[in-house]
Amino acid sequence: DEPRTDFDSVKDYFDAFLLKKPQGKILDGQIYIGDGWASDTGIYEFTMGATGDVVKARYSYNYVQEDGIWKIQHHHSSVMPEEIAMGKAITEDEVRGLFSLWNNALATLDPKTVAARYAKSGVLLPTVSDTPRTDFSSIEDYFVNFLKLQPQGEILESHVTIGHNWCQDAGIYEFTMGATGKKVKGRYSFIYVFEDGEWKINHHHSSVMPEGTMAQPITEEEVRNLFQLWNSALATEDPDAVAKRYAKNAVLLPTVSDIPRTNYDLIHHYFVGFLTKKPQGEILESNVSIGHNWCQDSGIYEFTMGATGDKVKGRYSFVYVFEDGQWKISHHHSSVMPEDFLGPAPKPEMSTPHFMSAPPL
C-alpha cells in the first residue's frame, strides 16, 4: 500500500519483486505526448520466470526529462479486479542504444545499409517526404537523397516503452548535416521488434517541430484543488457532468472495471454505474508535480459511499492538461489498495510526503 517516493524505497520494492524473475509485454497501451513530458497507460501481462505464472495488470508511466535524459517520474501499477501483475523486460538504456545502430548506418552513407536496419514489414514516415515507405526498396530510395546531406543525429529527449519482443522510443532528436553544417530538430517515434535474432525498426515516424505554446501557470495548491472540481461533479450524480471533467484524449483506468475508458462515451458509461453509490472523496495523501501545460497529482484517497455508508480507500493518479482554456483530466488511474489482496509488503523508510491530508469536504 505504501507509495515509493525515493530511490531507496523503490529499490526496496524491486529487491523482493525481482526474485519472481518477471518478464512483461504490453497488451493495450494509450500514449499522450506533451511538451517535455509523455505518458503511457494501459494493460500489461507478465510471465514470472520463477514460477511460470502469467499475470495481468494495469499500468501508468509518466516520463519527464531530468538531467538531460528521460526518466520515469511516476509509475502506477495495479491489479486487475480479478488478476495480479507487475514487472519489466528490457532496460531503457538498451532501448535508447538502438538509435546508435541506425545513426551508425547513416554514417556509412550507404542507403542499403540504412534500409537494412528496418524490419521486413517496416514502415517509414519520413520528415521530408509525403510518401509512406513500406518496403526495403522504398526505404532505400528515401535515403539515397537524404544521405547526400551527410546527417548525424543526437537524441535530445526520449520516451521509452517496453514490451515483449518489442520496444518504443519516442521524443525529439537533432541532426547535424555534414554537407552544410545546418542543424535540424525533429520529433521521432521508433518501434523496434526482435526479428531474426536482432532488434530492427518496425516503425519510424519523423516530423518537423510544431510551434510551441506558452505554459499556463499553476501552483501546487491549485493542482490539489482540481480534485474538488471532479469531486463536485460526482456530487451532482450526473455522469455527463463527471465525463466532461476529462480531456478529449483522456484515459480512465477505473477502480472496479478491467476496461480502459478512452473516450467520452466509455467514461460516461462507467460513471452511470459508479454514481449510483453516491460517492464523495477525500484526499489522504497527495504528491504533486508541475510541467509545461500539464500537472500531476497522485497518492491515496478515500470515498464515502452515500448510498451505503461504506468507506473505501484507493490509490489515485490524475494527470491534468490545459485544454480549451481550462484544466482537464488527461489521465486518471484508480486502483484498490493491493495489500488487501496480496498481503502486507515490507514497509520502506520514507521521507515525509508533500501532503498528508486534505481539508474536510
Side-chain angles (χ1 to χ4, degrees):
D1 288 355
E2 298 289 340
R4 311 298 171 124
T5 58
D6 58 31
F7 177 88
D8 289 337
S9 61
V10 172
K11 180 180 182 296
D12 176 77
Y13 176 77
F14 283 105
D15 282 343
F17 182 65
L18 290 177
L19 296 176
K20 300 178 182 180
K21 300 180 181 179
Q23 283 286 280
K25 63 177 178 179
I26 290 176
L27 304 180
D28 184 7
Q30 303 289 330
I31 293 174
Y32 195 100
I33 299 175
D35 187 350
W37 71 276
S39 67
D40 183 17
T41 61
I43 296 174
Y44 51 16
E45 184 179 82
F46 288 87
T47 300
M48 304 301 177
T51 64
D53 292 340
V54 177
V55 288
K56 193 182 295 184
R58 299 178 301 175
Y59 72 87
S60 302
Y61 288 99
N62 199 56
Y63 302 88
V64 296
Q65 193 179 30
E66 181 177 283
D67 298 330
I69 64 173
W70 285 90
K71 291 193 175 181
I72 301 170
Q73 192 273 333
H74 166 72
H75 179 196
H76 187 159
S77 185
S78 66
V79 296
M80 305 292 282
E82 301 87 13
E83 301 174 43
I84 304 171
M86 287 163 267
K88 187 171 182 175
I90 181 176
T91 69
E92 293 186 352
D93 285 343
E94 289 171 336
V95 174
R96 293 189 178 95
L98 296 175
F99 173 79
S100 295
L101 299 178
W102 179 77
N103 201 39
N104 291 340
L106 294 182
T108 68
L109 303 181
D110 178 6
K112 289 186 182 296
T113 300
V114 181
R117 292 304 316 151
Y118 291 77
K120 296 171 184 175
S121 59
V123 175
L124 167 64
L125 303 180
T127 316
V128 292
S129 172
D130 290 350
T131 306
R133 311 298 172 120
T134 59
D135 57 25
F136 182 92
S137 296
S138 59
I139 293 172
E140 179 190 6
D141 176 73
Y142 175 76
F143 285 107
V144 167
N145 288 318
F146 185 63
L147 290 177
K148 293 176 181 178
L149 299 173
Q150 301 175 17
Q152 275 293 276
E154 176 187 5
I155 289 180
L156 304 181
E157 300 178 12
S158 168
H159 161 216
V160 170
T161 302
I162 298 170
H164 182 72
N165 283 342
W166 71 272
C167 53
Q168 172 185 285
D169 185 6
I172 297 172
Y173 50 16
E174 183 176 64
F175 288 93
T176 299
M177 305 301 180
T180 63
K182 185 178 179 181
K183 290 182 178 288
V184 180
K185 277 186 187 177
R187 300 181 299 175
Y188 72 87
S189 301
F190 288 101
I191 296 176
Y192 303 94
V193 295
F194 199 69
E195 182 177 279
D196 298 333
E198 61 179 320
W199 290 99
K200 293 289 188 77
I201 302 166
N202 189 61
H203 166 76
H204 180 194
H205 187 162
S206 185
S207 64
V208 296
M209 300 290 289
E211 185 177 351
T213 58
M214 295 296 293
Q216 179 69 20
I218 190 169
T219 66
E220 288 194 11
E221 191 61 30
E222 289 171 334
V223 173
R224 293 190 178 96
N225 286 337
L226 294 175
F227 172 80
Q228 297 302 340
L229 297 178
W230 180 77
N231 201 39
S232 296
L234 294 183
T236 67
E237 300 180 20
D238 178 5
D240 179 68
V242 181
K244 285 181 177 177
R245 291 305 315 151
Y246 291 78
K248 296 171 184 175
N249 295 318
V251 176
L252 166 64
L253 303 180
T255 315
V256 293
S257 170
D258 286 359
I259 301 170
R261 310 299 172 121
T262 57
N263 58 42
Y264 172 87
D265 290 337
L266 290 174
I267 293 171
H268 182 279
H269 177 268
Y270 176 75
F271 285 107
V272 168
F274 185 63
L275 290 177
T276 61
K277 301 176 183 180
K278 301 182 178 179
Q280 275 292 277
E282 176 185 4
I283 291 178
L284 303 181
E285 179 179 329
S286 168
N287 296 276
V288 170
S289 297
I290 298 173
H292 184 97
N293 282 342
W294 70 272
C295 54
Q296 173 190 286
D297 184 7
S298 59
I300 296 173
Y301 51 16
E302 184 176 63
F303 287 93
T304 300
M305 305 301 178
T308 62
D310 292 341
K311 288 184 178 289
V312 180
K313 195 181 291 186
R315 302 181 299 174
Y316 73 86
S317 303
F318 288 102
V319 177
Y320 302 95
V321 295
F322 197 70
E323 181 177 282
D324 298 332
Q326 58 180 310
W327 289 98
K328 292 290 189 77
I329 302 167
S330 172
H331 163 70
H332 180 194
H333 186 160
S334 183
S335 66
V336 296
M337 303 297 282
E339 292 181 24
D340 291 343
F341 295 90
L342 307 177
K347 306 299 182 187
E349 293 183 5
M350 298 189 299
S351 57
T352 303
H354 299 140
F355 180 74
M356 290 299 296
S357 63
L361 297 175

